[in-house]
Amino acid sequence: MNQMERMKELTDQLRDAAKAYYQEDREIMSNLEYDRLYEELEDLEKKTGVVLSGSPTISVGYEAALELPKERHETPMLSLDKTKDVAELEEFAGDHEVLLSWKLDGLTVVLTYRDGRLEKAVTRGNGEIGEVITGNAKVFRNVPLQISHKGEVILRGEAVIRYSDFEKINAKIPEEEARYKNPRNLCSGSVRQLNSEITAERNVYFYAFGLVRADGIDFENSRERQFLWLKSQGFDVVAYKKVTGAQVAQAVQEFSEAVATNDFPSDGLVSIYEDIAYGQSLGRTAKFPRDSYAFKWQDELRETSLKEIEWSPSRTGLINPVAIFEPVELEGTTVSRASVHNVSILKSLQLGIGDRITVYKANMIIPQIAENLTRSGNVEIPGICPVCGGATKIRQVNEVESLYCVNPDCQAKKIKAFTLFVSRDAMNIDGLSEMTLEKFIGFGYVKEYADLFHLDRYRDEIVSMEGFGERSYEKLAESLKKARHVTLPRVIYSLGIPNIGVANAKVLSREYDHDLARLRAASAEELSEIPGVGEVIGASVEAYFADPEHNRWVDDLLRELDLYVEEVDESGLILDGKTFVITGSLKAFANRNELKNLIEAKGGKVTGSVTSKTSYLINNDTMSSSSKNKKAKELGVEIISEQDFLNRFTKEEGV
């Protein structure tokens, strides 16, 4: 095992140990062992000059921004010409050596390092202009925060979310329509978050696939040497094979066989000439570079018969159509179901029972209907909900038609809503599976959230239920007792407000000083101005608390709860109500996050952009002509140095 591999192993081990100890109240290694591994990692970081993301030797912290600034790429990022024909890929390579690598299915990001530190991260955008996501890139699982090379380094790579993490994230979302369709969509939204705490929760990985510049390094005209050098600097590089045209078919076969077991999403391969000068000498067309070529998998199609359309309700009332067809073998597995997603797609396919359809796996993973060969269009859209028998209605949002159950008392809505309410990140009530909740709701024991805390009224009935018994009931009662003592962020998340996740619930709670009454009274416009919230979430919160039934449920619930706020030394919150922006290099603090942590510990806020709400801009070069200094002067925001901050805000007398 080389030094870089050992550093990655140590970083993962120490991260897992810290999480277990501080967040889960358990120990997976002794303090002595932790210290020994920590010292080994620290020593390796000094030897290599590389600090990996997640290293316990450096604290990154989270950043929040009001918006993602846009920036023009120094070198335009062109799309690649594509083929599904292996023969064309062979012809492209010819007698030349090419690097054949995965074409990952995520979001392309450009990283810039100066003086060995990650200075900037920008998304591909439209190829000419991308969005600056530096704070988010710093919390990717595997991006080096520091590398040994001190000259400027610019590289490109793909940010991806692994299938295993994608499935875990979706598993925490009870309602089907709120789940993410594929890892790429989840990754795109995660990378472009305004609050990097949310990005960190999503486990985004970065795989380098191209080096734009590395000052002072001679790669001897070799792409492979660039890849190997990037590995030496701590980057994970996309897996590749070096081949000639005669070896392309075999390599493609080996890649295709690996797709089924890969944990990362890919939608093909990329071929680029190993000889850098030769590739560059070919120039480019109006749309594509001539030194590289993309290969897309030839989708494996199977013909089958549509048996039925299953309509699947969710807690928001959305009823999703799912196609059930005669089982077929696709990419090595048997499939018999595929989501049709919405009524618009159902209509466009003109689906009918008994129709002959072709199906495939998108990116060799997700079953989809490719074409309807019969197009009888005889599928009837149900006028009643398959669960409650209440009326349904087709609603059009952004030109997409979807079917909804309009019965507010629909049991499916309640079951899914209660499943979220009792989940681990919400009220954390053990002993209430979806099946148990379905029984309790069906028997009339539970009609709203507050009713869960009065199940003692039905003690005898519950104890006599199949699969329950005295012991299960006592465990449930104890769990409900513990759940009464809860923080506001958990309550906010448990309500199931659309678009509100765990991290956003914490942001909203902090913004309104853990006062739910203030949050309930907030307008969408006011909410959208909170860093990391935005218009969509703001509108969701306003709409939720505009509903009288929601408010009645919340009022009844609050009577059952003992809300508490994690203890904070109020006497030390001398920066309460003040907002800071930090820019430039620091002297007294190891990095910006160390200063940010101090400000937040004293009750202040740190944001990424200067606005009219900014109290102070901290910049040791107070007279510089930087964009943030200019903005601060335009808005009348005071610019102070690091020493000014220390003099004013670290004294006992406070502000």
Side-chain angles (χ1 to χ4, degrees), residues 163-209:
Y163 282 115
S164 54
D165 290 317
F166 170 73
E167 290 165 1
K168 288 175 185 175
I169 291 168
N170 261 351
K172 293 181 179 179
I173 305 173
E175 59 276 15
E176 185 173 335
E177 83 280 3
R179 293 175 186 156
Y180 299 95
K181 302 302 180 189
N182 53 60
R184 188 193 185 285
N185 288 355
L186 174 59
C187 183
S188 178
S190 302
V191 169
R192 299 173 60 253
Q193 285 289 330
L194 294 178
N195 185 341
S196 66
E197 184 174 1
I198 299 173
T199 306
E201 292 176 348
R202 304 282 175 80
N203 286 346
V204 179
Y205 286 81
F206 176 87
Y207 293 94
F209 61 65

Side-chain angles (χ1 to χ4, degrees), residues 133 163 177 308 355 369 409 475 495 526 542 554 567 590 606:
I133 49 108
Y163 282 115
E177 83 280 3
E308 64 175 301
D355 284 359
I369 295 177
D409 295 318
K475 284 185 177 180
L495 297 178
E526 177 187 331
E542 182 186 65
V554 171
E567 290 186 15
V606 178

Side-chain angles (χ1 to χ4, degrees), residues 415 419 432-441 465-466:
I415 293 168
T419 300
L432 287 176
S433 65
E434 186 168 319
M435 187 180 297
T436 300
L437 286 167
E438 185 174 358
K439 290 179 181 178
F440 286 0
I441 292 169
M465 283 172 54
E466 183 180 352

Side-chain angles (χ1 to χ4, degrees), residues 174 414-423 432-434 437:
K414 287 188 175 182
I415 293 168
K416 298 296 185 183
F418 277 96
T419 300
L420 172 64
F421 182 81
V422 304
S423 64
L432 287 176
S433 65
E434 186 168 319
L437 286 167

Side-chain angles (χ1 to χ4, degrees), residues 1-17 29 33 36-38 40-41 44 52-56 141 236:
M1 183 182 296
N2 62 34
Q3 290 181 327
M4 207 59 64
E5 290 172 342
R6 178 58 176 162
M7 287 171 62
K8 290 177 181 177
E9 182 179 65
L10 288 169
T11 298
D12 287 342
Q13 287 178 344
L14 292 169
R15 180 198 287 129
D16 291 344
M29 67 173 64
E33 176 69 0
R36 185 184 68 78
L37 296 178
Y38 185 98
E40 182 185 352
L41 177 60
L44 285 170
L52 300 174
S53 175
S55 171
R141 287 297 298 266
D236 284 332

Side-chain angles (χ1 to χ4, degrees), residues 583-595:
T583 190
S585 59
L586 300 175
K587 298 174 183 176
F589 295 87
N591 50 53
R592 293 183 192 177
N593 288 306
E594 190 174 293
L595 174 54

